[in-house]
Amino acid sequence: MNHITSTLSKSVFSRVASRSLLGSSLGSNMMRTSIMHHRGYTTTTGASKKGGSGRFLFLTLAALGGAGGYYYTSAQSIKTKHVPALSTRKEIDYEAIYKDIAEMLDENPDYDDGSYGPVLVRLAWHASGTYDVETKTGGSNGATMRFEPESIHAANNGLVIARDLLEKIHKKYPEISYGDLWTLAGVCAVQELGGPTIPWRPGRQDVLDAKSCTPDGRLPDATKKEDHIRNIFYRMGFNDQEIVALTGGHALGRCHPERSGFEGPWQEAPTMFSNEYFKAISTRTWIKKSLANGGWQWVDKNNTDVMMLPAEIYMYNDKEFKKYFDLYAKDEEKFFEDFAAAFSKLIELGVPFKGNEKVYRFKATTA
């Protein structure tokens, strides 16, 4: 048994038994116990896992510069699929889609840490985080990652796994747009892995070609400092508190050398959504580790399997960011509340809602 597995068995199970989730101690204990019973939490490291899902959810090692020949401007004409009037449109059973996605999360125990959840969260994030509030371009509307060059941007390495996985759902429910499907899958993954309820509403329309692909470099570079992180997220319309709340999504998943150049999970239970990421970054001793590719990352001095990205420690050492890291380390309920609001905002960036869309609050199947 390696250090991660040992630590998980000693600490996570006892934490699940005693913690309070969103103010309901009994309800949270039952939910977390059910999650642990139904979904595997393999955290073994070492040999590269099949496929590689987690990488990092949004502090991405993105290649900088434009994507040759492709420009996305607010003045550009965008072709989308024709959407019938609500009165004639076939009713889409979003509850059924949610349940089908949930059923799929742990269908392959050999994939990564036993769950497709983290890679689905990352897909939802990367499909949404290209938004520019000034030009009103990018965002989850359009599902432009279906096309090159966006599909092969460095920041999107490995996300073909998530897109292909969701093709099975789309074939069963062809009426749902890819933009709606991808963001719904991210919501489902967070909730099924123990996270908060995230309000979600449909309304995204798929573009028909690559002309609407956003230029490369709109997602964060994990090697850079806190000013770069602010520039990226301020461009989307987020403030410091929202940035840190979203960073807490790194409770899920792991980095893969073949994807990002970094390696390892951020904490010992990478398929359980919690505030453990904030506890880890704020209480452990972090030392630099050189990587085979010439880069470096931070690792926990007492458990070098656990890592942090360079940008994250820069963020934690920033006075304004730090107060939110410390807040969420102490108060999981507050983290869950703020993450749900920020993630809901993220996946709605650039979506032309008409105002009459139903807001869904799906119940986790593990509850």
Side-chain angles (χ1 to χ4, degrees), residues 2-80:
N2 65 22
H3 188 88
I4 288 184
T5 306
S6 175
T7 303
L8 175 61
S9 62
K10 291 178 181 178
S11 64
V12 173
F13 285 92
S14 62
R15 186 174 70 251
V16 169
S18 61
R19 70 208 298 206
S20 173
L21 176 60
L22 296 179
S24 174
S25 179
L26 177 59
S28 67
N29 291 340
M30 292 176 66
M31 185 179 84
R32 288 302 178 94
T33 301
S34 176
I35 292 170
M36 297 296 285
H37 177 72
H38 286 94
R39 303 199 181 281
Y41 288 86
T42 306
T43 52
T44 304
T45 57
S48 178
K49 295 300 183 88
K50 186 176 181 180
S53 70
R55 192 184 172 223
F56 32 77
L57 302 178
F58 48 85
L59 288 178
T60 316
L61 185 62
L64 299 179
Y70 289 92
Y71 301 91
Y72 188 43
T73 68
S74 58
Q76 183 176 359
S77 175
I78 299 175
K79 295 181 179 179
T80 60

Side-chain angles (χ1 to χ4, degrees), residues 163-230:
R163 297 194 301 270
D164 286 351
L165 184 70
L166 292 174
E167 275 299 322
K168 295 184 290 185
I169 303 294
H170 197 267
K171 286 180 180 178
K172 185 175 179 180
Y173 305 95
E175 300 83 12
I176 189 173
S177 70
Y178 282 99
D180 280 347
L181 177 60
W182 293 353
T183 54
L184 176 55
V187 167
C188 177
V190 169
Q191 295 189 180
E192 294 298 311
L193 297 182
T197 299
I198 299 172
W200 178 89
R201 54 181 171 159
R204 296 157 190 83
Q205 300 177 29
D206 295 332
V207 296
L208 301 180
D209 54 43
K211 293 179 181 178
S212 301
C213 285
T214 53
D216 205 350
R218 285 198 176 184
L219 295 171
D221 184 333
T223 68
K224 295 188 180 295
K225 295 186 177 181
E226 66 277 9
D227 57 345
H228 165 78
I229 303 303
R230 281 196 172 93

Side-chain angles (χ1 to χ4, degrees), residues 312-340:
E312 294 173 298
I313 300 300
Y314 288 130
M315 289 176 65
Y316 184 68
N317 289 333
D318 177 89
K319 182 177 67 173
E320 292 303 312
F321 279 143
K322 186 178 185 299
K323 62 185 181 183
Y324 297 113
F325 278 94
D326 292 341
L327 169 64
Y328 296 145
K330 297 175 182 177
D331 191 340
E332 185 178 73
E333 184 175 343
K334 176 62 174 171
F335 164 53
F336 275 31
E337 176 186 343
D338 289 351
F339 179 87

Side-chain angles (χ1 to χ4, degrees), residues 70-309:
Y70 289 92
Y71 301 91
Y72 188 43
T73 68
S74 58
Q76 183 176 359
S77 175
I78 299 175
K79 295 181 179 179
T80 60
K81 290 182 179 178
H82 173 68
V83 180
L86 287 175
S87 59
T88 61
R89 191 184 311 170
K90 180 178 179 180
E91 190 71 22
I92 301 175
D93 191 343
Y94 295 109
E95 295 281 355
I97 296 174
Y98 178 97
K99 290 177 182 177
D100 282 359
I101 296 170
E103 194 66 30
M104 208 169 53
L105 293 182
D106 57 0
E107 68 181 13
N108 183 3
D110 294 328
Y111 181 80
D112 246 17
D113 297 291
S115 174
Y116 284 119
V119 76
L120 294 182
V121 177
R122 183 171 159 243
L123 175 63
W125 150 246
H126 283 220
S128 307
T130 56
Y131 186 67
D132 185 324
V133 71
E134 294 295 329
T135 63
K136 311 299 183 186
T137 60
S140 62
N141 191 56
T144 52
M145 203 193 300
R146 288 152 40 235
F147 307 108
E148 291 187 10
E150 192 170 334
S151 64
I152 58 173
H153 286 172
N156 295 328
N157 283 343
L159 287 179
V160 64
I161 297 168
R163 297 194 301 270
D164 286 351
L165 184 70
L166 292 174
E167 275 299 322
K168 295 184 290 185
I169 303 294
H170 197 267
K171 286 180 180 178
K172 185 175 179 180
Y173 305 95
E175 300 83 12
I176 189 173
S177 70
Y178 282 99
D180 280 347
L181 177 60
W182 293 353
T183 54
L184 176 55
V187 167
C188 177
V190 169
Q191 295 189 180
E192 294 298 311
L193 297 182
T197 299
I198 299 172
W200 178 89
R201 54 181 171 159
R204 296 157 190 83
Q205 300 177 29
D206 295 332
V207 296
L208 301 180
D209 54 43
K211 293 179 181 178
S212 301
C213 285
T214 53
D216 205 350
R218 285 198 176 184
L219 295 171
D221 184 333
T223 68
K224 295 188 180 295
K225 295 186 177 181
E226 66 277 9
D227 57 345
H228 165 78
I229 303 303
R230 281 196 172 93
N231 288 338
I232 292 290
F233 281 91
Y234 285 4
R235 187 208 71 225
M236 288 182 256
F238 289 109
N239 58 34
D240 285 358
Q241 171 263 314
E242 292 169 317
I243 294 171
V244 177
L246 286 172
T247 307
H250 283 171
L252 298 178
R254 63 171 61 239
C255 292
H256 301 81
E258 71 277 13
R259 304 280 184 245
S260 65
F262 302 103
E263 182 172 15
W266 289 266
Q267 51 97 15
E268 285 85 355
T271 54
M272 178 188 286
F273 195 94
S274 70
N275 70 335
E276 199 63 30
Y277 165 82
F278 294 107
K279 292 180 180 180
I281 198 171
S282 62
T283 62
R284 305 191 192 193
T285 300
W286 299 98
I287 58 176
K288 284 186 177 182
K289 176 185 177 180
S290 297
L291 301 171
N293 61 13
W296 61 273
Q297 65 186 40
W298 297 99
V299 294
D300 178 6
K301 182 179 180 180
N302 296 317
N303 179 8
T304 56
D305 288 329
V306 173
M307 56 79 67
M308 287 285 163
L309 301 167

